[in-house]
Amino acid sequence: MNYDFSKIEAKWQKYWAENQTFKAENNSDKEKFYVLDMFPYPSGAGLHVGHPLGYIASDIYARYKRHQGFNVLHPMGYDSFGLPAEQYAIQTGQHPAITTKTNINRYREQLDKIGFSFDWSREVRTSNPDYYKWTQWIFIQLFNSWYNNDTNKAEDISTLIALFEKEGNATVNAISDEDIIVFTADEWKAFDTKKQQELLLQYRLTYLAETEVNWCPALGTVLANDEIINGVSERGGHSVIRKKMTQWSMRISAYAQRLLDDLNTIDWPQPLKDSQTNWIGRSQGASVTFNVKDHKEQIDVFTTRPDTIFGVSFMTLAPEHELVATITTPEQKQEVEAYIQATAKRSERERMADVKTISGAFTGAYAEHPFTKEPIPIWIGDYVLAGYGTGAVMAVPCGDQRDYDFAKKFDIAIPNVFEGVDISEEAHADKDKTVIANSDFLNGLPYKKAMKLAIYELEKIGHGKGKINYRLRDAVFSRQRYWGEPFPVYYLDGMPQMIDAKHLPITLPEVEKYLPTETGEPPLGNANVWAWCTKENKVVDNSKINNETIFPLELNTMPGWAGSSFYFNRYMDPNNTDAIFSDDAINYWQDVDLYIGGSEHATGHLLYARFWQKFLFDKGVVPKNEFAKKLINQGMITGTSAFVGRIDGFQYERGKWGTEGYYGGTYNVNSNIYISAGRSNDQELLKDLLKANKPETDNAIKAYNEIINDIENFKISIRQGVHADVSFVNASDELDIEAFKNWREEYKGAEFITEENGTFKVSREVEKMSKSKYNVVSPDSICEEYGADSLRLYEMFLGPLEQSKPWNTAGITGTHGFLKKLWRLYLDDNGAKFTDATPTKDNLKTLHKTIKKVAEDIENFSFNTSVSTFMICVNELSSQKCTSKEILEALAILVSPYAPHIAEELWEQLGHNTSIATAPFPKFDASHLVESSKEYPVSFNGKMRFKLELPLDLSKDEIEATVMAHEKTIAQLQGREPKKVIVVPGKIINIVG
RNA sequence: GCUCGAGUGGUGGAAUUGGUAGACACGUUGGACUUAAAAUCCAAUGGACAUUAGUCCGUAUGGGUUCAAGUCCCAUCUCGAGUACCA
């Protein structure tokens, strides 16, 4: 019997599907274990071999846990709202739902071929109305909540209204907007409904407000901070500008401290935690209030260095700061306005590109130092960000490099408030050993004490207090797109109203065009049936809008991260139509035990999901404060591109760079000659080629003549190569010349300079796997040629899960060969080889060594080393000619998480008629590994010279005596007397001297 | 700039608490089988020197601790990831 992997894999994939082998029950006496993968966005390109890496790892873990007797939840679904499908819809008119469905079907086909143990009965799709009903439901919960700082959790908005009615808002300790008016209970009651709603919006956890947003004109939408990379959009790389718009926001800042603190409670990779910590950006300092001369307004600033308050020599406001217009003097008005206009026009990218250019303008106004009462000039400058702190800084040029540079540029005084520090060249930002000087009551104090005293004194005069500031901004939650969740919101008198949860889902309306409307409204503005009837409680035709019973609906949709912020909970009970999930389901499954996915989601999905989880926890909806106990980032698989060396230019060099007579450079030629990698350094050949290929441009001809005249002394190399599709190249880096020639018209007449044996070698380079680099390998083609089990093993064998590593199909013959060898251990041409033979001592030793190592490896997520362990085990059992059924049964279970198809088949061949999936994992028995002797390495001065087999029960002295008497020891010492002999029983012997 | 991570054969990588560096594979070379190829099997494979025995060098670089360092400490270099005027 041969190892016919295609037949075996198809057979068991069908078996698993038909028998629902991996369906997880919500009621079970077994202990639960929840293994989750980050669900994919189903793109049109399908999966390449890099994508399933994490899925294979999690699948191995899930299968291992089933062998250990756990009830395992291992679901999969799709993050199916998103930009690519919509961009495609704009170009082709194809409804994104259709594109998405096609792509999902393709993904499913590809996933099925790899043999994952997913419980497909629990699949979710974020774009499915049955799913986004609950996204909308959570949105409503957030709208109806506020954050109470006293109880340190989210509460229903009704408790806030009760407080307002009782005592107004002066005593309320809430996370809210900064600029809230103070009112009494009587005033609250006197406000009209609209005013009350406006005020409540300033407290709600999701709120509508005019905010400065990142507007991407090319995509026609706003973007969140985490969707912008290096000042351009993450998708498409379009430029982004700052713009004020009315948008839904999520008050994630309310949870900043808890998001930070609870990082300590979860087992996530440190780099990921670090990047969340940086993103949240907690800084401790003080807020200080400055009076403005001749104005009643005050300016609040945040500073981390209140100890340097006597070093303030000017203030800088962000150009967008609201006080700028008020305080600017008539003389300075023109200059200030010109500056504001100039900065507003600059895109984020431009701003970031030239951080070094210092710019600003003087407002003509002065603030008053809270202690010295000295006038302080007020400037504006775009190095101050409107969005951070209060959008204003007290500038201390002696202690902050940016302030220092600004002061130098505009010739502002730089008073020194540090003892014995020279600030003539640069600012002194160090805190630790700093002692304050020239600062009245702070003189002579070290940083920490000065901090405390400064805050104390500021509080005493009512000009400031200690404060903690976070970099984390509230998250903009509106997108001007079609393919996203609609908001369950209609507008009455300009104020947002929630649609009652019992009428959800509010499904996406049909539109003719997926572009913004002519008046610049989002795509939903094109919908004709998009109004809410409060009588019928349904979506009706826009023409019926009367603003009495029928109102316009929200035109924005939700961002991509909405649906992915709670899907892990929905998997617990995905088909529930009455609730987001049943109490039974959530109480049984609780949280994710193992979550595997890419580190690129560190500050997006993973932060938002933690935020929603905490909110749902506060509301008593979920029992856990954090949704995933352990998280692992799988590394990226890069491609190994193949380059065919084409003579399209020469690089020439004579002499050493910088010395007399040096002559070097490059020029282009037109040729269709290709040179094998093994010969691309053959100077004689290259020189002949150079001679035969005269360039065309004047400069190049000059260089050509120079080289020809003195060709002996030149070193020639060819300039570059062209990508060849990796499928044309075999394991030995040899190109299929015919396939390459037929690939493209331009290669038809190509001429090839081969190796001496007639083959043509390509050169290799590691690059990102991408279509444009012709290095994409799809899992389907691998499954077809080698089988899913070979693929699964090879992906793990490549290296540590967390590391990024290059894919090279050539190596897969190693794991494929292993599977054939494994098969032959059980079966040969005559059928079964296994017998009831009693296992030998060696058999048992090999098996138990393997059990121990594999179990440890899986627990440590070191899957690459367990593949090696299997190979060693099979090599050993083969040479032991092991036929013992007892050993082979255990081995099949060990291999089953990694190569489930072959394991199932062997299990059946061994005589079992149920799946191997829940067969108990073999128990490790240490007694089989007990050794009576050890082959000691004998070192002289730390260098191993020979090995010596000695019984393990020898004492230190006995070992020493035996070794010293050994003839090789005497030969090594050559009569020298050893100074010292180190004996570590069971480990090593080292002779010094 | 700051934060984090990583540098080991031709290649992917192994070495769990300091204790035989290079497991296991790929590739390469030689051999067996075959008309031939594929497949399979066997052997060799870090470098240098040496007929053999063996010797020397070797985990990015330079120091240090130790009987013993890929592993620990100090300094430097290179690469990768994240972040970027955060007051």
Side-chain angles (χ1 to χ4, degrees):
Chain A
M1 263 179 103
N2 269 332
Y3 171 45
D4 184 350
F5 57 83
S6 347
K7 214 169 119 193
I8 293 169
E9 292 180 358
K11 170 181 165 187
W12 289 101
Q13 282 163 16
K14 188 162 167 256
Y15 176 95
W16 295 328
E18 281 171 359
N19 292 280
Q20 300 203 54
T21 310
F22 307 114
K23 194 170 175 2
E25 295 301 331
N26 284 355
N27 295 303
S28 172
D29 297 333
K30 289 183 182 175
E31 204 179 323
K32 69 100 187 184
F33 202 91
Y34 185 177
V35 181
L36 182 67
D37 294 289
M38 288 186 190
F39 63 170
Y41 173 79
S43 83
L47 297 168
H48 65 60
V49 289
H51 294 120
L53 180 74
Y55 304 158
I56 294 171
S58 64
D59 198 58
I60 289 170
Y61 206 81
R63 286 175 180 271
Y64 170 70
K65 282 286 167 185
R66 284 192 202 97
H67 287 303
Q68 291 212 313
F70 287 86
N71 181 26
V72 174
L73 175 56
H74 187 38
M76 182 47 83
Y78 305 95
D79 188 13
S80 49
F81 272 133
L83 275 178
E86 180 160 350
Q87 294 294 73
Y88 188 74
I90 291 168
Q91 285 160 23
T92 64
Q94 168 106 270
H95 196 289
I98 298 170
T99 320
T100 302
K101 201 173 167 190
T102 312
N103 293 349
I104 286 178
N105 290 342
R106 166 115 179 82
Y107 263 59
R108 177 65 192 273
E109 235 174 78
Q110 290 189 295
L111 291 171
D112 280 347
K113 278 189 190 154
I114 305 173
F116 292 117
S117 64
F118 293 129
D119 177 356
W120 282 109
S121 72
R122 292 175 186 259
E123 181 199 291
V124 299
R125 301 181 184 187
T126 56
S127 61
N128 191 330
D130 295 338
Y131 180 87
Y132 68 66
K133 171 177 177 177
W134 300 105
T135 318
Q136 293 172 337
W137 179 81
I138 292 174
F139 176 82
I140 295 171
Q141 306 308 305
L142 283 156
F143 183 82
N144 287 329
S145 302
W146 65 292
Y147 200 89
N148 186 341
N149 269 333
D150 288 336
T151 56
N152 201 22
K153 63 177 205 175
E155 289 182 15
D156 197 274
I157 200 78
S158 58
T159 63
L160 184 68
I161 296 170
L163 280 172
F164 287 171
E165 282 171 350
K166 208 170 130 212
E167 49 198 71
N169 73 346
T171 55
V172 169
N173 187 8
I175 303 274
S176 63
D177 290 358
E178 294 275 331
D179 52 339
I180 289 185
I181 57 158
V182 179
F183 51 81
T184 64
D186 288 337
E187 281 169 332
W188 169 259
K189 287 173 199 153
F191 291 142
D192 61 20
T193 317
K194 185 173 178 181
K195 182 74 191 171
Q196 287 183 340
Q197 286 190 8
E198 267 174 27
L199 288 166
L200 285 172
L201 262 184
Q202 298 191 290
Y203 290 86
R204 295 180 190 274
L205 285 182
T206 183
Y207 58 96
L208 200 56
E210 179 161 270
T211 40
E212 181 125 319
V213 296
N214 306 300
W215 174 254
C216 179
L219 293 173
T221 190
V222 304
L223 298 171
N225 289 337
D226 63 277
E227 293 168 319
I228 300 164
I229 309 288
N230 292 329
V232 297
S233 68
E234 186 184 16
R235 283 195 186 272
H238 305 292
S239 74
V240 174
I241 58 167
R242 287 165 294 156
K243 190 177 173 181
K244 279 208 163 180
M245 285 178 80
T246 300
Q247 300 281 302
W248 284 104
S249 287
M250 288 276 164
R251 217 178 287 280
I252 187 173
S253 56
Y255 286 87
Q257 191 61 49
R258 282 168 64 187
L259 288 168
L260 201 57
D261 291 344
D262 292 344
L263 283 173
N264 295 323
T265 68
I266 48 182
D267 183 7
W268 288 19
Q270 197 56 42
L272 197 156
K273 288 187 183 181
D274 288 345
S275 82
Q276 289 209 350
T277 304
N278 292 337
W279 192 262
I280 294 167
R282 181 185 198 270
S283 51
Q284 194 158 8
S287 80
V288 183
T289 308
F290 287 80
N291 291 330
V292 183
K293 296 223 166 183
D294 309 321
H295 285 273
K296 62 178 192 320
E297 285 87 357
Q298 294 180 315
I299 298 174
D300 287 327
V301 301
F302 173 73
T303 176
T304 53
R305 298 294 301 275
D307 56 313
T308 62
I309 190 152
F310 288 94
V312 176
S313 62
F314 61 101
M315 297 189 74
T316 317
L317 309 184
E320 301 91 339
H321 196 281
E322 53 179 8
L323 276 183
V324 172
T326 327
I327 62 171
T328 302
T329 58
E331 303 82 66
Q332 292 300 109
K333 197 170 171 151
Q334 210 183 345
E335 193 190 329
V336 165
E337 278 175 4
Y339 181 71
I340 292 172
Q341 278 210 341
T343 53
K345 259 199 278 176
R346 296 170 79 196
S347 68
E348 270 309 301
R349 176 147 224 182
E350 286 169 332
R351 253 178 79 140
M352 284 167 57
D354 84 336
V355 204
K356 290 194 184 91
T357 314
I358 297 151
S359 67
F362 179 46
T363 62
Y366 289 85
E368 184 187 83
H369 194 282
F371 294 116
T372 66
K373 306 292 176 197
E374 294 281 326
I376 302 166
I378 303 174
W379 289 68
I380 62 172
D382 71 356
Y383 81 95
V384 176
L385 303 175
Y388 183 74
T390 59
V393 301
M394 59 174 226
V396 184
C398 66
D400 184 291
Q401 195 59 42
R402 292 155 304 173
D403 295 342
Y404 187 92
D405 295 340
F406 196 89
K408 281 266 171 187
K409 162 112 183 183
F410 294 106
D411 214 13
I412 305 169
I414 305 179
N416 188 352
V417 292
F418 304 117
E419 207 173 278
V421 171
D422 174 32
I423 53 148
S424 59
E425 290 298 322
E426 57 179 4
H428 174 78
D430 185 67
K431 307 178 206 178
D432 292 339
K433 287 170 202 148
T434 301
V435 175
I436 304 296
N438 302 323
S439 298
D440 196 351
F441 55 87
L442 298 176
N443 284 340
L445 291 177
Y447 157 74
K448 268 196 179 153
K449 285 190 175 163
M451 265 290 274
K452 275 192 186 152
L453 184 58
I455 293 171
Y456 174 81
E457 292 292 336
L458 281 167
E459 276 177 16
K460 214 160 79 178
I461 59 170
H463 268 273
K465 56 175 188 274
K467 194 183 172 183
I468 290 158
N469 214 27
Y470 300 92
R471 200 182 75 119
L472 181 70
R473 305 263 62 82
D474 280 349
V476 178
F477 198 67
S478 299
R479 295 293 182 276
Q480 292 67 44
R481 307 296 301 193
Y482 175 75
W483 194 230
E485 297 87 348
F487 284 85
V489 172
Y490 65 90
Y491 286 89
L492 188 165
D493 197 11
M495 294 308 294
Q497 310 295 323
M498 292 298 122
I499 291 168
D500 198 296
K502 65 174 177 258
H503 306 305
L504 300 180
I506 304 302
T507 56
L508 262 178
E510 292 302 317
V511 292
E512 267 176 41
K513 283 191 308 180
Y514 301 99
L515 286 167
T517 65
E518 275 159 26
T519 50
E521 284 177 325
L524 291 191
N526 291 317
N528 297 324
V529 185
W530 196 238
W532 184 252
C533 174
T534 52
K535 282 273 179 311
E536 292 179 76
N537 287 313
K538 64 174 202 182
V539 178
V540 296
D541 201 282
N542 292 4
S543 60
K544 296 185 181 160
I545 293 174
N546 56 17
N547 287 315
E548 280 167 17
T549 56
I550 297 174
F551 303 93
L553 279 158
E554 168 73 52
L555 299 181
N556 289 298
T557 53
M558 298 186 196
W561 56 269
S564 57
S565 295
F566 70 100
Y567 76 112
F568 35 85
N569 289 323
R570 180 67 179 166
Y571 275 138
M572 297 173 184
D573 194 9
N575 303 312
N576 197 325
T577 50
D578 304 327
I580 184 166
F581 35 70
S582 69
D583 286 351
D584 284 353
I586 191 84
N587 287 330
Y588 178 70
W589 294 111
Q590 299 265 323
D591 57 358
V592 176
D593 293 282
L594 173 66
Y595 194 20
I596 295 188
S599 56
E600 67 272 21
H601 298 108
T603 51
H605 160 61
L606 290 172
L607 200 58
Y608 296 128
R610 292 183 62 220
F611 158 44
W612 279 28
Q613 181 77 5
K614 289 186 186 304
F615 168 71
L616 293 175
F617 174 77
D618 286 352
K619 302 289 280 186
V621 178
V622 297
K624 288 287 175 83
N625 201 8
E626 289 287 345
F627 75 93
K629 284 198 198 81
K630 181 171 179 72
L631 186 142
I632 290 200
N633 288 131
Q634 91 275 19
M636 203 177 45
I637 290 191
T638 47
T640 316
S641 302
F643 287 90
V644 174
R646 176 164 70 184
I647 312 284
D648 49 6
F650 290 99
Q651 198 167 345
Y652 52 91
E653 197 174 33
R654 177 182 64 197
K656 259 211 163 114
W657 194 82
T659 62
E660 190 91 10
Y662 174 82
Y663 193 80
T666 60
Y667 65 77
N668 294 342
V669 294
N670 278 321
S671 95
N672 212 3
I673 304 171
Y674 297 81
I675 180 164
S676 181
R679 303 198 66 190
S680 58
N681 269 324
D682 183 340
Q683 286 298 305
E684 217 165 292
L685 175 68
L686 290 174
K687 283 171 184 173
D688 286 346
L689 283 165
L690 182 138
K691 278 189 212 161
N693 287 278
K694 207 169 168 176
E696 281 158 9
T697 63
D698 290 350
N699 273 343
I701 291 170
K702 222 174 112 192
Y704 174 81
N705 290 332
E706 178 77 26
I707 300 163
I708 294 286
N709 285 333
D710 188 24
I711 197 147
E712 243 86 297
N713 293 316
F714 272 91
K715 191 176 177 291
I716 309 296
S717 42
I718 55 169
R719 244 170 37 82
Q720 62 172 76
V722 291
H723 276 103
D725 196 296
V726 287
S727 64
F728 303 157
V729 181
N730 72 7
S732 308
D733 289 349
E734 290 159 4
L735 181 73
D736 180 341
I737 295 177
E738 282 313 305
F740 182 71
K741 274 185 168 178
N742 292 329
W743 189 29
R744 295 249 186 87
E745 198 52 43
E746 56 177 308
Y747 301 142
K748 275 272 178 335
E751 194 184 311
F752 291 87
I753 298 168
T754 62
E755 303 292 318
E756 266 140 37
N757 63 5
T759 60
F760 188 97
K761 296 226 177 205
V762 298
S763 57
R764 295 285 202 166
E765 217 169 288
V766 172
E767 296 182 292
K768 214 177 153 177
M769 207 174 266
S770 112
K771 258 188 179 167
S772 63
K773 297 188 167 75
Y774 303 103
N775 59 4
V776 176
V777 181
S778 85
D780 317 57
S781 64
I782 300 289
C783 287
E784 206 171 296
E785 201 172 340
Y786 301 96
D789 286 339
S790 294
L791 173 72
R792 292 169 62 108
L793 281 170
Y794 188 52
E795 295 237 357
M796 293 300 105
F797 189 62
L798 276 180
L801 182 59
E802 294 96 329
Q803 247 170 56
S804 119
K805 56 237 156 188
W807 176 268
N808 192 345
T809 306
I812 200 168
T813 52
T815 54
H816 189 63
F818 158 74
L819 288 174
K820 286 191 202 167
K821 212 166 166 184
L822 175 76
W823 181 264
R824 280 199 306 275
L825 207 49
Y826 294 75
L827 302 150
D828 62 14
D829 294 342
N830 307 318
K833 282 171 75 179
F834 44 84
T835 62
D836 289 328
T838 316
T840 66
K841 241 182 140 178
D842 280 348
N843 294 163
L844 286 166
K845 187 174 157 189
T846 298
L847 176 69
H848 284 270
K849 203 170 69 179
T850 307
I851 296 173
K852 180 165 189 278
K853 176 84 174 124
V854 170
E856 279 169 6
D857 284 345
I858 296 180
E859 305 279 359
N860 295 325
F861 303 95
S862 173
F863 301 114
N864 54 327
T865 49
S866 38
V867 178
S868 315
T869 306
F870 290 137
M871 290 174 171
I872 294 167
C873 176
V874 168
N875 288 345
E876 286 182 6
L877 291 179
S878 298
S879 60
Q880 290 164 18
K881 305 220 177 332
C882 171
T883 59
S884 164
K885 199 172 161 184
E886 186 186 324
I887 300 285
L888 295 177
E889 279 195 329
L891 178 61
I893 301 169
L894 290 180
V895 170
S896 136
Y898 290 80
H901 308 87
I902 194 173
E904 288 275 23
E905 182 64 27
L906 293 172
W907 191 246
E908 190 183 72
Q909 295 283 343
L910 285 163
H912 298 272
N913 50 22
T914 53
S915 167
I916 197 172
T918 51
F921 201 76
K923 281 225 159 31
F924 169 63
D925 181 351
S927 69
H928 297 297
L929 301 190
V930 174
E931 301 272 359
S932 59
S933 69
K934 155 94 189 167
E935 194 178 33
Y936 281 93
V938 182
S939 302
F940 291 81
N941 297 319
K943 282 175 191 158
M944 208 276 289
R945 290 305 179 196
F946 64 90
K947 289 172 193 170
L948 184 61
E949 176 106 19
L950 292 172
L952 269 169
D953 52 10
L954 285 192
S955 73
K956 253 182 161 179
D957 292 342
E958 286 168 323
I959 293 173
E960 188 175 335
T962 319
V963 169
M964 292 314 292
H966 197 270
E967 54 176 41
K968 284 194 176 168
T969 310
I970 295 160
Q972 278 293 332
L973 287 170
Q974 292 176 326
R976 279 174 287 129
E977 190 61 30
K979 286 197 193 92
K980 207 178 191 182
V981 178
I982 313 270
V983 175
V984 184
K987 279 250 157 102
I988 199 169
I989 299 156
N990 190 16
I991 299 165
V992 186

